[in-house]
Amino acid sequence: MRIEAETVERMVAWRRDLHAHPELAFQEVRTADLVARELAACGLSVKTGLGRTGVVGTLSRGDGPTVGLRADMDALPIQEATGASYASRTPGVMHACGHDGHVAMLLGAARHLASRTDLSGTVHFIFQPAEECEGGGRAMVEDGLFRLFPCDSVYGLHNWPGLPLGTFATRVGAIMASLDTFEITVAGFGTHAAMPERGTDTLVVASELVLALQTIVSRRIAPTDPVVLSVTQIHGGDAYNVIPERAVIRGTVRCLDEAVRKRVAELVEAIAGGTAGTHGARAEVDYRFGYPATVNTADAVGTALEAAGTVPELSARHGEVVPSMASEDFAYMLEACPGAYAWIGTDGAERGPPLHNPAYDFNDAALSIGAAYWAALGTRLLGGR
């Protein structure tokens, strides 16, 4: 499976245009307009405004299977430092996760598949907003994605620095972790810093609590169950000589198993209350369940690997990759419909900057490879040659 040279040129142009004009979650108006225009130019029927700024293009080729192929569209609130000629023109916003490349690859595949006459079935090209922490996948599902566009299976693809160009990686089961957040407010009794015995030191409680929370992973959850609990913020106090009445701790929890996820939430509540109570303080816990784990189904993983095997440039294919403890809201689509999520390597001769780094830039050499995978997957599912 190969993509036509003219389509590759278009993908590069689309990608760099999108890179220069990044848009944050649920603000992808210009991006959605470009996507809708190009899908319509291929002869696809187009639905806009799904999940606020999402777009779905439908290629209908009579009776047969129905598949959803998904790309995310949003950028990140990061000041770009690539120095590229097509660098972001929007201060403080950039495509630091490669969603510009994802959009271009799926548009290229749509253009290729729309030219085919040997397919039987339907492909829904799903362009999703707000993947970065805002739950655009959930918004599309709740807005009727699979009711309006029923799918037998749905697939996602993400570029992956750290894997060499030409690598395709996936696995059965959880490939990416759930993402939950917590905020713990420690309430005590403020006092003069010279007279700590007359108050309740919330900063001491907060300090002990940061360490105590780590025992959840090291002593309360089995070593065979991956969990990452990270405290990422501590706030408290405004003066050198005042012990504050309140301190706030915030952080995230990542899990691959749903039962473990619920157990960690219970332990955060219990340890916060117990640690604070030991010092005569109180702990108020706001624990928020966010993205679920991204869980692939076995049949869909098999199909994805078979399709990748027909792309000559995907010479390295891994079906049992180690999961990532990062998270992905394609998980909401996989909760509603069976499917598979995969990674495609983007590193060239030298390893580039990681995702979410100000110097990151999508490797354009991956565009034709990713589009070829999408086209091969659509061809395999719709019985083409």
Side-chain angles (χ1 to χ4, degrees), residues 160-305:
W160 210 250
L163 290 177
L165 187 69
T167 302
F168 182 86
T170 188
R171 74 188 304 271
V172 176
I175 187 171
M176 299 189 76
S178 58
L179 168 60
D180 303 324
T181 60
F182 61 84
E183 178 178 288
I184 304 171
T185 301
V186 179
F189 191 79
T191 185
H192 196 293
M195 307 171 192
E197 76 283 1
R198 300 189 65 175
T200 303
D201 195 330
T202 57
L203 295 182
V204 168
V205 176
S207 299
E208 290 196 12
L209 184 50
V210 170
L211 298 178
L213 288 172
Q214 297 308 312
T215 66
I216 293 175
V217 177
S218 65
R219 289 295 178 266
R220 305 298 294 275
I221 300 296
T224 52
D225 292 324
V227 178
V228 177
L229 188 156
S230 297
V231 174
T232 55
Q233 299 180 45
I234 303 176
H235 302 277
D238 298 296
Y240 286 103
N241 61 346
V242 176
I243 293 174
E245 289 192 351
R246 299 170 74 83
V248 176
I249 300 170
R250 299 188 182 106
T252 68
V253 175
R254 319 272 180 150
C255 304
L256 296 178
D257 180 83
E258 188 64 22
V260 172
R261 183 187 190 194
K262 292 177 180 176
R263 177 61 177 153
V264 171
E266 294 170 355
L267 289 170
V268 168
E269 185 92 32
I271 288 175
T275 303
T278 298
H279 295 274
R282 302 187 320 277
E284 302 167 0
V285 179
D286 180 10
Y287 197 99
R288 300 181 182 182
F289 289 97
Y291 295 0
T294 304
V295 181
N296 291 338
T297 53
D299 288 349
V301 167
T303 301
L305 287 166

Side-chain angles (χ1 to χ4, degrees), residues 300-347:
V301 167
T303 301
L305 287 166
E306 290 171 1
T310 67
V311 179
E313 293 86 355
L314 289 175
S315 56
R317 294 176 295 279
H318 305 291
E320 297 182 359
V321 69
V322 175
S324 169
M325 297 308 286
S327 57
E328 162 65 68
D329 80 340
F330 184 64
Y332 291 110
M333 296 189 187
L334 289 177
E335 283 191 326
C337 180
Y341 184 81
W343 302 326
I344 183 171
T346 53
D347 277 352

Side-chain angles (χ1 to χ4, degrees), residues 39-217:
L39 292 174
C42 296
L44 276 62
S45 62
V46 179
K47 166 71 174 176
T48 60
L50 194 67
R52 294 168 62 176
T53 48
V55 181
V56 179
T58 299
L59 174 66
S60 297
R61 288 291 185 264
D63 294 335
T66 300
V67 60
L69 308 180
R70 171 268 199 179
D72 38 16
M73 302 189 294
D74 56 323
L76 284 157
I78 296 174
Q79 181 63 43
E80 183 162 352
T82 64
S85 60
Y86 48 84
S88 172
R89 300 178 187 176
T90 305
V93 182
M94 73 168 290
H95 271 294
C97 202
H99 296 183
D100 49 344
H102 299 170
V103 171
M105 288 190 296
L106 192 55
L107 282 176
R111 191 171 188 268
H112 172 88
L113 290 172
S115 69
R116 302 279 294 272
T117 58
D118 59 337
L119 305 178
S120 297
T122 300
V123 182
H124 297 304
F125 298 92
I126 303 166
F127 293 84
Q128 181 211 301
E131 187 277 327
E132 300 289 356
C133 296
E134 297 295 332
R138 177 177 55 196
M140 290 193 82
V141 171
E142 291 177 348
D143 207 12
L145 174 62
F146 294 117
R147 175 176 52 81
L148 296 170
F149 305 98
C151 294
D152 300 316
S153 55
V154 65
Y155 294 82
L157 183 67
H158 204 293
N159 80 98
W160 210 250
L163 290 177
L165 187 69
T167 302
F168 182 86
T170 188
R171 74 188 304 271
V172 176
I175 187 171
M176 299 189 76
S178 58
L179 168 60
D180 303 324
T181 60
F182 61 84
E183 178 178 288
I184 304 171
T185 301
V186 179
F189 191 79
T191 185
H192 196 293
M195 307 171 192
E197 76 283 1
R198 300 189 65 175
T200 303
D201 195 330
T202 57
L203 295 182
V204 168
V205 176
S207 299
E208 290 196 12
L209 184 50
V210 170
L211 298 178
L213 288 172
Q214 297 308 312
T215 66
I216 293 175
V217 177

